[in-house]
Amino acid sequence: MAQRRVPTAAPVRRPLVLAAAGLAAAALTVALPATPAGAAGPEQVVNGTFDDGLTGWNAYPTAAVVDGRGCVDVPAGTGAYGAAIEQKIPMVEGETYAFSATILSEPATAANIRIVIQGGPDINYAEFLTARKVPLTPEPRAVTATFTADRDYAQANLTFQQDITNDAAYRFCVDDVSVTGGAEPEVYRPDIHSAVRVNQVGYLPDGTKEATIVTDATEPQRWLLRNADGTVVRRGTTRPEGVEDSAGVAVHVADFSAYRTPGRGYTLSVGDQTSFPFDIASDLYAGLRTDSKTFYYTNRSGIAIDDALAPGYGRRAGHVGVAPNRGDTAVPCLPLGDDKQRLYATPWTCSGTHDVTGGWYDAGDMGKYVVNGGISVAQLMQEFERTRTGAADPAAYADGTLSIPEAGNGVPDLLDEVRWELDWMLRMQVPAGEQYAGMAYHKVADADWTGLPLLPADDPQPRVLHRPSTAATLNLAAAAAQGARLFRPYDAAFADRLLAAARSSYAAAERTPDLLEPAADPALDPNPGSGPYEDDDVSDEFYWAAAELYLTTGDARYRTAVLASPHHTSRDLADGFWWQDVAGMGRLDLATVDSRLPGRKAVQRSVLRAADSLLRTERDEPFGQPYDPADGDWVWGSNSAVLNNLQVVGTAYDLSGKRRYADGVASGMDYLLGRNALDRSYVTGYGDVSSHQQHSRWYAHSLDPRLPSPPDGTVAGGPNSTATSTGDPVAAANLAGCVDQFCYIDEIGSWSTNEITVNWNAPLSWVSGFLAGYEGTGPGRS
Ligand code: 9MR
C-alpha cells in the first residue's frame, strides 16, 4: 500500500516572527558549484529531488517542476512571504541536522529568498541567507547549513520564501533539498483489519451482496459465509479482477447475493482472512435516516444546543453577540483596504452592520456560506419533498421524528431544521438601499482562521460579511422558491416571504449576472479565515433557480429560462452535481415534482439514463462505488460525490419503480460503510471501524477529551487524491504518494480528507432516508 510517512506542507498563515531567544546556532556555507553536504542520519525531506513532481511540497502563488527542479513563479509586486515553496519535517531536541539545497532564479533578481526551518511563530531552528542577501541568478548555487534543534516539533516548516517585495516578475527554483539527521521518520500505515471488505453494517436480504478481497492471487479463491455461530451457510469462489486503479491493489470480488436469510453477525472468509461481522436484515437504515440529521442541529449557530436533546453535544449559543464572539448580531462588511478586498477587481463595501444570526456552521469551521448552505438545505428539502410526490412515507418525516427543540410544534421536523437555515439565508439578502440590493452576501465568516479546538461561543475573531455573489444570490432564489412550496401548508406567511425573496433575488441576479466569487489567492490574502466557495460559471445556478421558481409558480418566464438553458438538455447528470455545479438539482426536481413542463418525460428519461450509467460504474468498479472520475483524481469530499450519485440512482427508482435502481443505491452504500480500500466506514458510529476524528473545532474529542466526537451519522469528506498538495499538514505528513482511495486519514488535523460539512451530510440524509423507506416497502423486507 503506497503509504509512507513524509514531511509536509502548509501555507504560512501570517508573517513570521523571529525568535528573540532559544535559537540553536546555525552554521552557513554558500558554495559554488553545488556540493550538498553529506550528513549522517535519516533523510527527513520527501521528494527533495522533485523526481515525483511536487509531491510532498506546498507552494504559492503558482509552482511547477521545470527541468527537474521545484519552481515558483513570482509575479511583480508580490509581497514578503507571498511566494514560497515548503514542506514540513519533524525536529527532535538536541539532534544536529545537515541542510543542503541548490537554488537559482530566472532571470537574476534583487529579491531575496529566505530559507527557514520553523516550528511555529516563535521557534526558528535555522535561518540563513536573509542576512547574506545571496544573489539569485540562473546559475544554481548550493546552500548548506548545520544546526541543532533546541526543542521538539513534530511539524517544523522548511520553507524557501520571498522576503521582500519584488519589482519584476521572476521564477525561483530549488533542487536536491535535503535535511539529514534526527530520528527515523515514522511510517504511517492505515489500520486495516482484513483483506475481506464488506459493508460493516449489512446487506438487504434480497439485495446484491458483494465483498471485495485484496489479494495477489491470480486464481479464483474459495469464500465461506458463516453465520454468528460460525456455521458455514454458503460457499463459493471469488472473481479475480486484477489491479484496481483507484486503490492500486489487486482484488477479487465475492458475490453472495443468492444467500437471503436474515440474521446478525455473519462473516465472510477467504483463506485466513475474515471480514468484520455484518447483518443481513431489512432494518439497516432507519437509524441512519434520523442520525444523519442530528449534525444539523448540533451545527446550528445562534442557539444553545440542548444536551437533553443531543446528549453530549450541549453547548452555549455561538455568535449571538456575546463576548468574546464578535458577531453575528451586528456584522460589518469587509473593510476597504483589507487583504481580502484585493481579491476583487473593484473594491466593495456596505454601510452599517447586519444581523446575520442563525443558520448552520458550514463544517468544522464557523463560516456560514450561502452557496454551500443553499445546496445543503435544498437536498434536505428534496428528501422531504419525496413525501409530497408519493415516494416516501410522510409518517417517517412527521412532527416528532427528530430530537430538536421544535419537535411538537405541528410542523414536520425536517422542515423545522430546514427553516433554521432558510431564516438565516433570508437575513443574508442585501437590503434595499445598499449596493447590489436583492442579491445575497456570499458569506459571513471569521476574519482570520482560528485554531482547534474552539467552541463557537469562544470564537474571538471579528466576523465580516463578504461581497455578494451571483452564485449565492441564485442559491437563495432556488432554496427559497423550493421552501415556498413546501412550507405553504404550515405557514403561509413564511411561504410568502420565501417566495418574495426568491423572486427578488432571481431578478437581482438577472441584473448582475456576473458578480463571480474569486478563488483563494494566498499571495493576496494569506489568511482567508474561511473557504472561498468560488465559482466562475453561474449558468447552472441560473438553471436551478429558474427550475425551482417554475415548479413553485408555474410562471412562463421561469419556464422559458428553464427551456432555454443549455443545462436542460446536456447529458451531464451522470457526472454528478455538487455545490459548484448545481444543474443536477434542477434536473432532479423537474423530473420528480409535478408540473406542466413541456418535455418533462424527456427530463425523466435523462435521470434514468444517468442512473443506468452510474449502475454500470458500480458494476465495473471492484469496490462497487458509483464514482469513477474522468480525470482519475478523487475530489475533495469524494464521499459526497458518491452520495450525490446515489441520489440520482434513487431518484431513478422513485420515477420508475425499477428494483435495480434501489438495489444500486444499497450496494453503493457498501463502499461508504466498509467495502473500500481502507476497510472502514466513513460514517461516525456505523460499522466496526468508523471515522470519528473528523476535522472540527468543537467535535474535537481527540484534542480535548471533554469535547465529543462528531455525532453518529456524520460522514467524513473521504479520499482526496490531491490532499498532499492542498496545504493539509496531516495529509502531507502521512499520505505522500498515496493512490486515490488511500488518500484519507482519520485525524482531526486533516481538513482536506476528513472534514464534515453540511453539504456532505445532506445526500447522506437523502440516501439513508431513501433506503430506510425502501427497506420498509421493498422486496428486501424480511
Ligand atoms: O467542499 C469544498 C471543496 O469542494 C473545495 O475543493 C475546498 C477548497 O476550496 O473547500 C471545500 O469546502 C470547505 C470550505 O471551503 C470551508 N468549510 C469547510 C469545507 C469542507 O472542507
Side-chain angles (χ1 to χ4, degrees), residues 525-543:
D525 179 17
N527 191 344
S530 56
Y533 286 118
E534 77 278 16
D535 201 342
D536 61 5
D537 179 354
V538 293
S539 59
D540 52 299
E541 281 82 5
F542 268 108
Y543 174 64

Side-chain angles (χ1 to χ4, degrees), residues 18 22 86 97 205 389-390 462 628 692 702:
L18 298 188
E86 51 196 23
Y97 295 86
T389 58
D628 179 23
H692 59 284
S702 53

Side-chain angles (χ1 to χ4, degrees), residues 497-688:
R497 272 185 65 210
L498 287 169
L499 189 53
R503 286 184 189 279
S504 64
S505 52
Y506 188 85
E510 283 183 311
R511 284 195 301 276
T512 310
D514 54 1
L515 200 60
L516 304 178
E517 186 63 14
D521 184 344
L524 293 178
D525 179 17
N527 191 344
S530 56
Y533 286 118
E534 77 278 16
D535 201 342
D536 61 5
D537 179 354
V538 293
S539 59
D540 52 299
E541 281 82 5
F542 268 108
Y543 174 64
W544 177 34
E548 298 304 336
L549 275 157
Y550 170 69
L551 290 170
T552 300
T553 66
D555 283 4
R557 64 200 191 95
Y558 301 125
R559 183 185 63 216
T560 304
V562 164
L563 296 177
S565 168
H567 295 286
H568 191 55
T569 47
S570 67
R571 290 183 168 233
D572 57 10
L573 196 51
D575 297 335
F577 58 92
W578 55 304
W579 62 263
Q580 201 180 61
D581 183 355
V582 289
M585 296 288 292
R587 183 84 69 86
L588 291 176
D589 286 356
L590 290 169
T592 52
V593 179
D594 202 23
S595 77
R596 295 186 179 174
L597 185 75
R600 180 159 168 240
K601 281 267 177 289
V603 175
Q604 294 176 331
R605 278 198 301 275
S606 78
V607 175
L608 302 191
R609 249 194 335 264
D612 283 324
S613 153
L614 291 166
L615 290 183
R616 277 194 295 280
T617 304
E618 281 192 2
R619 272 198 301 277
D620 290 349
E621 291 296 328
F623 285 99
Q625 79 282 2
Y627 178 62
D628 179 23
D631 63 3
D633 275 353
W634 287 45
V635 294
W636 189 315
S638 64
N639 284 342
S640 73
V642 169
L643 285 161
N644 285 337
N645 286 346
L646 290 181
Q647 183 177 335
V648 173
V649 179
T651 303
Y653 177 78
D654 288 350
L655 290 169
S656 69
K658 292 211 167 98
R659 189 177 148 194
R660 69 171 184 273
Y661 297 121
D663 209 24
V665 178
S667 49
M669 277 301 280
D670 297 345
Y671 164 81
L672 288 172
L673 295 175
R675 186 188 173 197
N676 53 50
L678 290 171
D679 196 17
R680 64 163 39 249
S681 159
Y682 289 104
V683 180
T684 308
Y686 284 79
D688 298 81

Side-chain angles (χ1 to χ4, degrees), residues 362-365 369 372 449 530-534 578-579 636-637 751-752 755-757 759-760:
D362 186 55
D365 63 319
Y369 311 80
N372 205 45
W449 285 120
S530 56
Y533 286 118
E534 77 278 16
W578 55 304
W579 62 263
W636 189 315
W751 37 263
S752 74
E755 196 158 354
I756 48 181
T757 304
N759 66 312
W760 300 340

Side-chain angles (χ1 to χ4, degrees), residues 185-201:
E186 265 173 48
V187 177
Y188 162 73
R189 289 194 198 290
D191 184 14
I192 285 176
H193 166 79
S194 164
V196 184
R197 313 292 160 75
V198 296
N199 180 331
Q200 297 171 19
V201 174

